[in-house]
Amino acid sequence: MPNVSQIGQRLDRLEEHLKQENPILQEVVQGFRKLDVIGQSSGFLDHDESFATRTPWWPLIAVLGTYSSGKSTFINSYLGFPLQATGNQAVDDKFTVVSYAPDESVHVLPGMALDSDPRFPLYGIGQAIEKSAPGQGKHVDSFLQLKTCPSQKVKGKILVDSPGFDADAQRTATLRITDRIIDLSDLVLVFFDARHPESGSMRDTLKHLVQDTIKRRDSNKFLYILNQIDVTAKEDNPEQVFAAWQRALAEHGLTAGQYFSIYNPDVAVPIADEAIRGRFERKRDRDLGEINKRIEEVRVERAYRIVGMLEESAQYLKSSLAPQIISFLRTWRRQVLTTEAVLVAAVLILLGAGSLYFQGLSGLGSLARFPAQIADNTWWQMVSVLVIIALIWGHFWVRRRIGQRLIAKTVNSISDSKLRARMYRILGHNIRWWRSIFCSQPAGLGISNQNVLEAVIADAREYIQKLNDLFTNPSGPGKEDNSKKTSAWAPQNEK
């Protein structure tokens, strides 16, 4: 099957890249391959899908915010490389995904490079765009671009620079991509402009980036940054600007979070007063240090998250999906057998009643002698064969109709459209005509595959222990051991 080979080739390329950056995660790919076989045989996955593509393998840092809030300047400063164009007005209307490449030249690749590569966080984004904005999914290049950068700072991670939000209504596709990026990100930096801390653009940003994050379970991954704070150095009380910004966030329900104020010294407004300059520089250095620390930590967090996804997927198939299918099969089997028993009983009662009505008690004797008459009469034998064929056809008709009705009832109660489609396919796999109605094991999730899932779960826990050994050891290893473990995690050319 071409689709299977395509997804296999993508996983091959993923393993090749991980061989240099993190051999442990390279082993994890093999676990996902085992899950894919079970997922496809059970109907959970289509043949062009993989559990491995359900999470990005490189940690993702999203940089979002208003126009002219200094996002691109911050990225250039972090990279130590002039990658992004900067300016007071909107300089880019696309989402720019920044990835490492050793080539000193910067390459700008079209959005399809992201849409078709499972290693990147926006794999398959074209389908998501198409759902929210029909007809736009094929124009993914209009929304996304990939830039390569030789900075070692971005090796092993992905940065996303978003187009700025303004007070105008945003295109549906752009917001869809923003939501997707937020969901996939390990860290979200939300930038605001200290020159306009309470502008209309900020209110629009708050609506899209703040209000929807308050109730998220991963709300701690959001850092709110008031950039270009140096412009307030001449204010009588510059702290009031920062306080006003925090109040604006609080008005939208954000009363807890991590707030920072920074500026770039290369483009900063000169601060003549030495005392004020020192105060601003200490605040800037402290906040930038914390932000950079969080950025570096995402690499470790992503490795754990990927292994966690492997175990979570295996646990879902074994402990959630399989019991749900078994319960469905029991209900289906009971209703089919009950329906057929009622129909057979009804036919026998009608035959008996008819015989009594037309022939009296002697009619019941004729019914009792009917099997012997079949053996002696070719005509009755032919009729019996036709009756058996009709009964078999009726059995499959009854099981199919009842199965379809139960599937519809089960699926209609699921709100998520993608999961609804998956469950329709999964349950359909279990009522196919060649599967016995007495088969109690779910299709693709029989005893042998259950054992495979157990092994994958055990492997995932072993991978966690290997990751722990890279960063910690309760027995307290010496400095030499720690040095070896740290270098094992680092990319080869960073040792």
Side-chain angles (χ1 to χ4, degrees):
M1 296 182 184
N3 284 336
V4 174
S5 63
Q6 287 176 12
I7 200 68
Q9 290 172 4
R10 290 168 179 167
L11 294 181
D12 289 341
R13 292 196 295 270
L14 176 62
E15 283 190 89
E16 186 64 28
H17 280 75
L18 290 170
K19 184 186 298 183
Q20 297 297 324
E21 292 200 7
N22 190 342
I24 294 177
L25 290 185
Q26 182 191 11
E27 297 178 40
V28 175
V29 177
Q30 294 301 320
F32 278 109
R33 288 186 188 272
K34 295 176 184 178
L35 287 189
D36 289 346
V37 173
I38 298 175
Q40 291 173 6
S41 62
S42 66
F44 184 87
L45 295 178
D46 208 345
H47 288 294
D48 61 348
E49 294 180 311
S50 169
F51 282 104
T53 63
R54 291 161 65 85
T55 183
W57 285 71
W58 273 258
L60 175 63
I61 299 100
V63 184
L64 312 175
T66 61
Y67 283 119
S68 71
S69 60
K71 302 187 307 296
S72 297
T73 301
F74 172 83
I75 289 176
N76 290 345
S77 177
Y78 172 75
L79 296 175
F81 187 88
L83 181 71
Q84 293 291 79
T86 60
N88 291 329
Q89 301 300 321
V91 292
D92 205 336
D93 61 351
K94 295 181 181 180
F95 290 87
T96 301
V97 177
V98 182
S99 177
Y100 172 79
D103 191 346
E104 289 296 326
S105 301
V106 173
H107 298 283
V108 182
L109 306 178
M112 68 172 59
L114 300 164
D115 186 41
S116 304
D117 194 332
R119 295 171 299 166
F120 290 107
L122 295 175
Y123 170 67
I125 190 63
Q127 295 179 0
I129 295 175
E130 185 65 27
K131 288 181 180 180
S132 60
Q136 295 297 312
K138 58 185 178 182
H139 303 303
V140 67
D141 293 346
S142 301
F143 302 98
L144 297 165
Q145 63 183 1
L146 171 64
K147 281 188 180 181
T148 63
C149 176
S151 171
Q152 292 289 325
K153 282 292 194 72
V154 79
K155 188 167 187 180
K157 59 176 74 74
I158 300 291
L159 293 178
V160 179
D161 187 10
S162 73
F165 285 81
D166 60 17
D168 297 330
Q170 300 294 310
R171 287 173 297 181
T172 303
T174 301
L175 293 179
R176 180 84 177 195
I177 297 174
T178 302
D179 292 340
R180 178 76 172 270
I181 289 173
I182 289 174
D183 288 339
L184 294 174
S185 293
D186 299 276
L187 187 65
V188 180
L189 310 181
V190 185
F191 277 74
F192 299 93
D193 187 354
R195 296 170 299 179
H196 311 287
E198 296 180 277
S199 65
S201 60
M202 177 179 173
R203 287 191 293 272
D204 190 69
T205 304
L206 288 169
K207 179 177 182 297
H208 292 296
L209 303 181
V210 175
Q211 286 183 330
D212 294 339
T213 67
I214 297 170
K215 297 181 180 179
R216 293 179 65 104
R217 295 176 58 185
D218 57 355
S219 59
N220 64 326
K221 73 181 182 182
F222 290 83
L223 306 185
Y224 301 97
I225 302 168
L226 188 61
N227 197 15
Q228 301 169 139
I229 195 68
D230 54 292
V231 299
T232 68
K234 295 182 180 180
E235 300 283 341
D236 293 334
N237 189 359
E239 284 77 8
Q240 289 184 356
V241 176
F242 187 79
W245 171 63
Q246 286 187 301
R247 284 196 299 272
L249 293 175
E251 288 175 0
H252 287 78
L254 191 68
T255 57
Q258 291 185 285
Y259 309 99
F260 302 91
S261 60
I262 64 173
Y263 66 93
N264 189 314
D266 296 332
V267 294
V269 174
I271 303 176
D273 189 299
E274 185 175 344
I276 295 178
R277 184 173 65 251
R279 181 158 54 109
F280 270 68
E281 288 176 350
R282 287 191 295 273
K283 171 65 173 171
R284 177 201 66 201
D285 293 344
R286 184 169 61 251
D287 284 6
L288 275 175
E290 183 63 26
I291 293 169
N292 288 330
K293 179 182 177 183
R294 286 293 304 273
I295 291 176
E296 295 308 313
E297 287 175 349
V298 298
R299 192 175 177 191
V300 178
E301 295 169 359
R302 171 54 60 179
Y304 279 98
R305 189 171 289 116
I306 289 172
V307 178
M309 175 67 76
L310 175 66
E311 181 176 1
E312 180 182 328
S313 299
Q315 288 282 13
Y316 172 77
L317 293 175
K318 178 180 180 296
S319 304
S320 180
L321 183 61
Q324 189 175 354
I325 298 173
I326 291 173
S327 176
F328 169 85
L329 289 174
R330 287 173 179 168
T331 302
W332 176 57
R333 183 187 311 114
R334 183 178 64 253
Q335 292 193 12
V336 169
L337 294 178
T338 300
T339 301
E340 291 180 341
V342 169
L343 290 175
V344 170
V347 170
L348 293 176
I349 290 172
L350 288 174
L351 287 175
S355 299
L356 284 172
Y357 181 79
F358 290 106
Q359 300 180 20
L361 292 176
S362 62
L364 296 179
S366 298
L367 287 176
R369 294 190 299 273
F370 188 70
Q373 293 174 356
I374 292 176
D376 299 331
N377 191 305
T378 303
W379 168 252
W380 280 114
Q381 290 174 1
M382 293 176 61
V383 171
S384 297
V385 170
L386 293 176
V387 170
I388 291 173
I389 293 174
L391 288 174
I392 293 174
W393 179 87
H395 165 73
F396 284 104
W397 182 85
V398 168
R399 58 179 273 167
R400 184 177 69 254
R401 289 298 299 270
I402 292 177
Q404 290 174 341
R405 179 175 59 81
L406 287 176
I407 289 175
K409 181 179 179 181
T410 302
V411 167
N412 289 339
S413 63
I414 301 174
S415 57
D416 183 80
S417 60
K418 184 174 291 188
L419 181 58
R420 191 161 56 240
R422 290 189 192 280
M423 286 304 299
Y424 191 90
R425 184 171 61 231
I426 291 167
L427 297 179
H429 272 54
N430 282 272
I431 65 168
R432 288 176 294 188
W433 66 270
W434 62 82
R435 278 181 55 84
S436 170
I437 193 173
F438 296 104
C439 183
S440 59
Q441 294 298 319
L445 290 169
I447 299 299
S448 60
N449 279 345
Q450 291 274 349
N451 293 334
V452 173
L453 292 176
E454 287 280 6
V456 170
I457 293 170
D459 288 343
R461 291 169 180 168
E462 183 177 345
Y463 297 145
I464 291 291
Q465 293 177 11
K466 290 182 178 180
L467 289 174
N468 288 343
D469 289 341
L470 289 173
F471 306 110
T472 184
N473 192 329
S475 62
K479 293 182 179 180
E480 182 179 352
D481 292 337
N482 278 330
S483 174
K484 292 178 180 180
K485 291 171 182 175
T486 301
S487 62
W489 171 256
Q492 296 299 315
N493 61 352
E494 293 181 351
K495 290 182 180 180

